Amino acid sequence: MQHQSRMQQTATPGMEVANGMIFFRKLIEPGCAPEETAEDPTTLRGKVAAAKLPEDAQRAAEAEIARMEKTDPSVAEYAIALGYVECLLSLPWSDMAPASFDLDGAARVFDASHAGLGQVRERVLEHLAAHALGASRPFSLLVVDDEPIARANLELVLRREGHHVEVAANGEEALRRFDGQEFDLVVSDLKMDTMDGQQLLEAIRERSPETQCIIVTGFATVDSAVRAMRSGAVHYLTKPIDLDDLRAAVADVLRGRRARYRMRAPLLCFVGPPGVGKTSVGQAIAKAMNRPFVRLSLADLRDEAELRGHRRTYAGAMPGRIMQALRTAGVRNPVFMLDEMDKMGQDARSDPAMALLELLDPEQNDRFLDRYVDLPFDLSEVMFIATANDTSRMRGPLLDRLEVVPFAGYSEDEKADIASRFLLPRQLREHGLVHPRPVVADEALRRIVRDYTDEAGVRGLERELARLCRKLARLHMEGHAPLPAGLDAEQVTALLGPARYNHDRTGGGQHTGRATGLVWSEKGGEVIFVEVSTMEGSGQLILTGSLGDVLKESARIALSHLRSTPDVFGLRAVPFDRLDIHIHIPAGDVAKDGPSAGVTIAAALVSRLAGRPARADVALSGELSLGGSLLPVSGIREKVLAAARGGARTVILPRANAPDVAHLRATVQRLPRIELVGSVSDALEIVLAPAAQPATKGGLDA
Ligand code: ADP
C-alpha cells in the first residue's frame, strides 16, 4: 500500500524544478512552445542571425521565416513555422556548461550529501576520474615529412587546432617515437628516403593497431592512393595541402576516436530498490561536474514518438522528451538521468528502446534525429545515467551498453545515521525550524525507522520526518514554544500517532504447516510465509498466491525430494497418493518468483506432514536441488535486512552464500543470527521442533 501511494504521488504530470535541478515526469507542455509572445518574421530573422545556430539549423530557420513572410498570420501554417523557428532558437546547439572538475571536490560533494554508500562512492569517483581524463586529454599527432618547411607548417596548423603534435623527419625516427607512447594519428608524407610512407604505415599498424594514418603526397597517382588506402590509411591528401581539407580529415579521424573512446567508457546504470539514493547520487554527480541535471522518467513510456517527437506535418506536433529536456537544461552537456529504464513499455507499433539504443550509441548520438526538429543534434557530450529497480526486466541490447552499479538497501543503523545527518536537518530547515533547532534523540529516530517505515530505502523515512516537522511547526505556531529541545522516542510517538508497521511480523511462536521465508523483489527484501494444508484427495498439488513459474517448480522439487526420501523426514507413513496438498503464499502485492523459496516450502511441507511445528522467528532462503542440497541464492543483503525488519531472530542460508554473508557481517553491525547449511535436512533440524505426535495420520488431521 505504501508503494502504491508513492506511485500515485510521482505520477504528477509536468515538470519540477528543485534545487536548481530539473525533473521531468509526464510532460504535457506543448513541445518547444514559444515562451514569449509571437514574433514577427523580421524580429525572428534578427534573432536567428544573432543566435549562432549551426549552418543547417540556420538554413532551416530562414526557410521557415521566408514561408512565414508569404503566409497570413491567421493561417495555421504560420503558427507551425513560428513554433518551429522558436524551437530551433531555444535548443542549446553549442552551449556547454564549462568543463570544471576536480576529484577531491567531487568526493567532497558526495560526502556532503551521502552516507553509507561506500562501494557506490568508489565506483562513481572512478567513473568521473576516467571521464575527466578522457574528455580533457588532447589528441596526440605525429607529423612525418622529410621536408623541414612542410613539417613545420603542418605542425603549426595542427597545434593551432589544440592537438599535441610531435614531428619526425623520416620513417625510422617516426617509429622510434612510438617507444613508450602512442599516437592517435600519424600524418605522413608518402615519398621519403629509406622508408616511404607506405612502409611506415605498415610498420605502425603492427606496432600500434589503434593509430590512424593520413597519407600526404606531392606525386599523387590513383595507384598510390589505392595502395595507401589498402594498407589502412584513412585519408589521402595531395600537396600543396588545402588546409581546410586537412582540418576536415583530422577532425573526421578524431571524431571516430572520440566515439570509440566513449564506446569503451561504460554508461552507469544505478540499480536498486526505491529510496536508496540513486537520484540524489545523480544530482551529486551533476553538482561535482558543475553541469545541470535533468531527469526523464521512462516509466510506462510506450511510444517511441514520445522520446523522438512527431513530424511537423502532424497537427500539434512537438519535439520528443529528449529534446525538451535538453532545451530545459540549456546546455548540450548536462547530466541526464534516464530514470526507471526497467519500467519502459512497448506497444505493437513502436518500441522506445530503439530510440534509447540510438541515444546511448556513441557512433550515432552525435547526430541524434528528433522527428520534429528534423536536424541532427549532437548529444555526444551528454552524460547519461540510467536507473532501474530490477535489471531482469531489461532487454539484452540495452543492458549490454550499461554498467550496473548496485545500490543496496540500508540497515536500521544506517537509516538512523542518514536521518540524523541529512534527512532531519534538511526537513528542519525546510520547515523553518532552525531557531532553536529541535534535537531528536537517536533512539527516537530508530523508533521512527522501526514503527513508521517498512522499506529498503529512506524515502518513507524522509516523509515521516517531514510529518514530524509539520507537527513541530504547528506546535511552534500555536505558541507551545520553546520547542522541545530533545525529543525522545515517547514524544515522537505521541506526535506521530500509533505505529504504522508491526516490526515483529514473524510474530514468534511455532506453527505447524507454516514456515517463514525471504524473497527479493524490486522493492528490496520481504518476509513471506509459506502455508501448507492437506486434505483427503488424490495426490494433487495445489499452488496459490500468484506464484511465478520458477517458484511453482520449486514446490514440485521440494515435494519430490520429500517423497523420494521419506525416512529422512519421518514421512514413511504419509499416504501421498490419498492426499491433496495445498501450498499457499499470502501477500498478494509481493512479486513471488525465483527458486529461493525451495527450502522454505520444504520446511512448511515437513512441518505439516510430520506434525513438527516450525519456529516463526527463523527465516529461510535457499534453492533446493532434487537431491536435497541447498544451492546459493541472490539478494542476501536485502533478504537479511528484511528478516531483521520483520523481527526474525535467525536466518538460514545456503553454505555457498558464505562470501555474501561475510561481506554483510563486515558492513552491518546488528544482524540476526545467520546459520549456513548445506542441505535441506540440516536446515529443517534448526527450524522444526521435534514431532509433537507421531505422524501416523499423514497430516490428514490438518
Ligand atoms: P531513489 O532515486 O533511489 O529512489 P532518492 O535519491 O530519491 O532515491 O532518495 C530518496 C531520499 O533519500 C533523497 O532525499 C535522498 O537524498 C535521500 N537519501 C537516499 N540515500 C541517502 C544516503 N545514502 N545518504 C543521504 N541521503 C540519502
Side-chain angles (χ1 to χ4, degrees):
M1 276 181 60
Q2 204 192 1
H3 293 290
Q4 267 170 15
S5 62
R6 186 182 306 150
M7 280 178 62
Q8 277 155 13
Q9 282 182 5
T10 54
T12 319
M15 182 185 76
E16 297 165 25
V17 180
N19 301 332
M21 308 288 179
I22 304 141
F23 299 88
F24 283 85
R25 294 277 189 328
K26 289 242 171 222
L27 268 176
I28 51 167
E29 60 175 301
C32 286
E35 282 162 359
E36 298 154 25
T37 49
E39 307 272 11
D40 61 80
T42 317
T43 327
L44 219 47
R45 203 179 279 285
K47 281 193 171 183
V48 168
K52 296 210 189 83
L53 297 177
E55 235 172 77
D56 50 358
Q58 175 147 5
R59 265 201 309 275
E62 279 163 3
E64 289 303 303
I65 295 172
R67 196 192 309 270
M68 285 168 72
E69 281 164 342
K70 288 189 221 125
T71 314
D72 189 296
S74 62
V75 176
E77 277 71 33
Y78 186 94
I80 291 174
L82 174 65
Y84 181 64
V85 176
E86 295 203 307
C87 176
L88 293 186
L89 282 170
S90 71
L91 291 172
W93 295 97
S94 53
D95 301 315
M96 301 265 278
S100 94
F101 177 75
D102 81 278
L103 200 56
D104 289 344
R108 276 197 299 279
V109 168
F110 197 98
D111 297 338
S113 50
H114 293 93
L117 283 172
Q119 285 184 350
V120 170
R121 179 185 186 275
E122 296 314 301
R123 185 61 199 93
V124 163
L125 291 179
E126 280 163 24
H127 183 74
L128 292 181
H131 182 89
L133 199 63
S136 63
R137 181 178 76 95
F139 286 106
S140 56
L141 274 58
L142 178 63
V143 171
V144 192
D145 202 313
D146 51 5
E147 282 178 41
I149 295 180
R151 212 162 54 225
N153 279 346
L154 280 175
E155 181 183 10
L156 187 71
V157 171
L158 294 171
R159 276 221 173 118
R160 276 205 193 123
E161 296 289 298
H163 307 307
H164 169 82
V165 187
E166 294 193 20
V167 289
N170 53 52
E172 290 82 357
E173 190 187 340
L175 288 180
R176 280 198 299 277
R177 299 264 164 182
F178 274 81
D179 289 342
Q181 64 177 332
E182 280 204 9
F183 291 94
D184 296 296
L185 173 64
V186 171
V187 181
S188 173
D189 191 16
L190 182 64
K191 280 253 182 296
M192 293 185 292
D193 288 343
T194 60
M195 179 187 278
D196 70 9
Q198 180 89 31
Q199 290 165 318
L200 173 64
L201 201 145
E202 277 157 19
I204 288 174
R205 269 184 54 191
E206 265 179 30
R207 242 171 225 237
S208 172
E210 295 261 312
T211 302
Q212 308 268 28
C213 294
I214 295 178
I215 289 288
V216 181
T217 181
F219 312 93
T221 62
V222 173
D223 189 40
S224 61
V226 168
R227 273 194 297 125
M229 300 308 262
R230 278 214 184 118
S231 353
V234 279
H235 286 282
Y236 186 82
L237 301 174
T238 49
K239 285 182 177 177
I241 295 180
D242 177 329
L243 289 185
D244 284 340
D245 284 353
L246 174 69
R247 284 194 198 98
V250 170
D252 184 47
V253 171
L254 299 186
R255 196 174 70 93
R257 274 202 86 75
R258 224 176 247 127
R260 265 203 303 286
Y261 171 76
R262 287 198 308 268
M263 281 284 260
R264 288 190 204 130
L267 281 163
L268 298 184
C269 179
F270 295 165
V271 179
V276 287
K278 300 184 293 297
T279 308
S280 71
V281 168
Q283 290 169 337
I285 289 177
K287 196 167 168 198
M289 301 182 82
N290 226 343
R291 299 184 184 194
F293 175 82
V294 282
R295 186 171 83 144
L296 174 62
S297 173
L298 300 172
D300 297 329
L301 190 131
R302 304 189 153 273
D303 188 354
E304 196 200 0
E306 272 200 66
L307 283 180
R308 215 197 258 286
H310 289 278
R311 288 194 192 292
R312 265 176 297 149
T313 40
Y314 285 95
M318 56 173 116
R321 292 212 235 160
I322 306 284
M323 295 315 280
Q324 295 188 38
L326 259 290
R327 184 187 65 141
T328 314
V331 291
R332 66 179 179 86
N333 62 342
V335 173
F336 196 135
M337 185 164 269
L338 296 164
D339 212 8
E340 304 189 274
M341 206 178 247
D342 53 335
K343 307 279 181 341
M344 198 167 58
Q346 178 185 9
D347 70 21
R349 285 169 299 116
S350 97
D351 183 1
M354 297 313 293
L356 276 193
L357 274 175
E358 187 181 324
L359 196 68
L360 302 179
D361 179 358
E363 299 259 30
Q364 300 184 60
N365 71 6
D366 58 349
R367 294 170 306 247
F368 179 76
L369 201 60
D370 178 280
R371 292 210 186 90
Y372 177 86
V373 175
D374 203 19
L375 294 166
F377 191 94
D378 184 358
L379 295 176
S380 61
E381 298 294 333
V382 175
M383 178 183 263
F384 288 107
I385 299 174
T387 81
N389 294 134
D390 179 4
T391 45
S392 68
R393 297 164 52 151
M394 283 162 70
R395 273 173 288 158
L398 258 185
L399 209 50
D400 286 348
R401 263 310 278 134
L402 303 171
E403 178 176 318
V404 168
V405 180
F407 278 58
Y410 299 118
S411 68
E412 188 181 302
D413 288 336
E414 287 169 332
K415 288 179 185 175
D417 182 43
I418 292 171
S420 84
R421 287 170 55 196
F422 300 107
L423 307 182
L424 183 63
R426 183 156 66 225
Q427 288 304 326
L428 290 171
R429 245 185 344 264
E430 284 177 12
H431 288 81
L433 296 162
V434 278
H435 289 301
R437 192 167 115 165
V439 177
V440 181
D442 280 354
E443 191 41 44
L445 288 175
R446 278 175 200 287
R447 176 77 63 90
I448 301 177
V449 170
R450 223 174 294 151
D451 288 359
Y452 297 88
T453 70
D454 180 21
E455 57 181 354
V458 291
R459 199 177 283 166
L461 176 58
E462 187 164 30
R463 249 197 322 266
E464 288 303 313
L465 291 170
R467 198 157 72 87
L468 179 70
C469 289
R470 285 198 297 277
K471 305 244 179 231
L472 291 174
R474 181 169 174 190
L475 281 180
H476 185 69
M477 293 308 286
E478 283 172 349
H480 296 292
L483 285 166
L487 287 167
D488 63 21
E490 302 317 313
Q491 287 167 307
V492 162
T493 308
L495 285 169
L496 290 181
R500 290 192 176 196
Y501 295 97
N502 174 9
H503 61 264
D504 188 14
R505 227 156 10 108
T506 59
Q510 299 190 338
H511 302 271
T512 302
R514 193 188 91 163
T516 306
L518 299 167
V519 292
W520 180 89
S521 78
E522 59 175 37
K523 297 175 196 162
E526 313 259 353
V527 170
I528 54 157
F529 300 101
V530 175
E531 299 174 348
V532 173
S533 77
T534 53
M535 60 218 94
E536 264 181 89
S538 55
Q540 280 195 60
L541 179 63
I542 304 160
L543 299 165
T544 56
S546 309
L547 313 185
D549 289 344
V550 181
L551 187 44
K552 286 181 185 162
E553 281 180 3
S554 303
R556 293 189 184 284
I557 291 167
L559 188 57
S560 296
H561 175 63
L562 302 183
R563 290 185 66 174
S564 64
T565 51
D567 293 333
V568 176
F569 302 100
L571 304 177
R572 173 61 66 191
V574 176
F576 282 104
D577 50 357
R578 286 192 289 114
L579 279 183
D580 283 350
I581 298 177
H582 185 164
I583 299 176
H584 177 59
I585 306 185
D589 61 339
V590 179
K592 282 161 284 184
D593 203 3
S596 70
V599 66
T600 321
I601 296 172
L605 280 168
V606 175
S607 169
R608 168 62 65 211
L609 296 169
R612 294 174 63 184
R615 279 176 57 191
D617 63 356
V618 178
L620 305 103
S621 179
E623 177 175 355
L624 204 59
S625 76
L626 261 184
S629 304
L630 238 55
L631 308 176
V633 291
S634 57
I636 294 296
R637 180 183 167 99
E638 302 301 333
K639 286 174 179 170
V640 177
L641 292 179
R645 285 201 298 277
R649 296 231 162 73
T650 305
V651 177
I652 298 179
L653 295 173
R655 183 164 294 137
N657 280 114
D660 307 294
V661 172
H663 183 255
L664 183 62
R665 284 195 174 120
T667 50
V668 180
Q669 278 166 1
R670 279 184 282 183
L671 288 172
R673 182 188 167 84
I674 299 176
E675 299 274 3
L676 296 170
V677 297
S679 69
V680 65
S681 52
D682 289 348
L684 299 201
E685 282 319 304
I686 301 169
V687 65
L688 298 184
Q693 74 237 351
T696 45
K697 295 179 194 161
L700 281 176
D701 61 345

